Amino acid sequence: MDTNIFKQRLEDELKTVEGELKTVGAQNPKNPADWEGKEVEMDVSIKDELPDKLEEYTTNRSITDTLEVRFNEIRGALERISAGEYGTCEVGGEPIEEDRLDADPAARTCKKHVDTKLPPL
């Protein structure tokens, strides 16, 4: 398996996800794996604005949470490539099928263990 192809795909996706994260969130300077939803400026003197701004923040937080998970999955896959551990199932230790990696280059398990709950990265 040519990990360079997967590495390039992962690096490209990481740039995309990070760009999207920056539009709705901000990276925690103390923990680069942690992103927070962008705070929304509110003029609390305008009563009708408050619900809209709270909804906007909640939406940003939800999007940030989803993107943050993917961001960390991609970073984990890139770390596994650097460590020479890429493509090995984290549950059973067997090789991850290439078609599975093609579908999701950040996959951590083989098809047999796809439904196994793994700890977050």
Side-chain angles (χ1 to χ4, degrees), residues 11-108:
E11 288 171 345
D12 292 345
E13 185 180 358
L14 185 66
K15 287 177 190 172
T16 300
V17 170
E18 187 171 18
E20 291 174 4
L21 271 166
K22 288 178 180 178
T23 66
V24 293
Q27 195 169 26
N28 180 341
K30 294 180 182 178
N31 180 0
D34 184 37
W35 289 77
E36 297 295 326
K38 274 190 181 174
E39 301 242 348
V40 180
E41 288 190 35
M42 290 185 253
D43 183 351
V44 291
S45 66
I46 303 172
K47 292 181 182 177
D48 292 340
E49 187 176 291
L50 186 60
D52 291 340
K53 294 298 182 178
L54 287 173
E55 182 179 354
E56 184 179 344
Y57 173 76
T58 302
T59 300
N60 283 352
R61 182 70 245 173
S62 176
I63 294 168
T64 301
D65 288 348
T66 301
L67 290 172
E68 180 181 27
V69 168
R70 187 61 184 167
F71 178 82
N72 290 321
E73 288 173 346
I74 296 165
R75 286 187 48 199
L78 289 168
E79 289 170 7
R80 289 191 299 280
I81 288 172
S82 293
E85 300 168 355
Y86 183 74
T88 302
C89 178
E90 291 184 24
V91 175
E94 59 267 65
I96 299 173
E97 300 84 357
E98 197 160 342
D99 62 330
R100 175 147 165 70
L101 291 172
D102 192 43
D104 179 8
R108 297 169 60 193

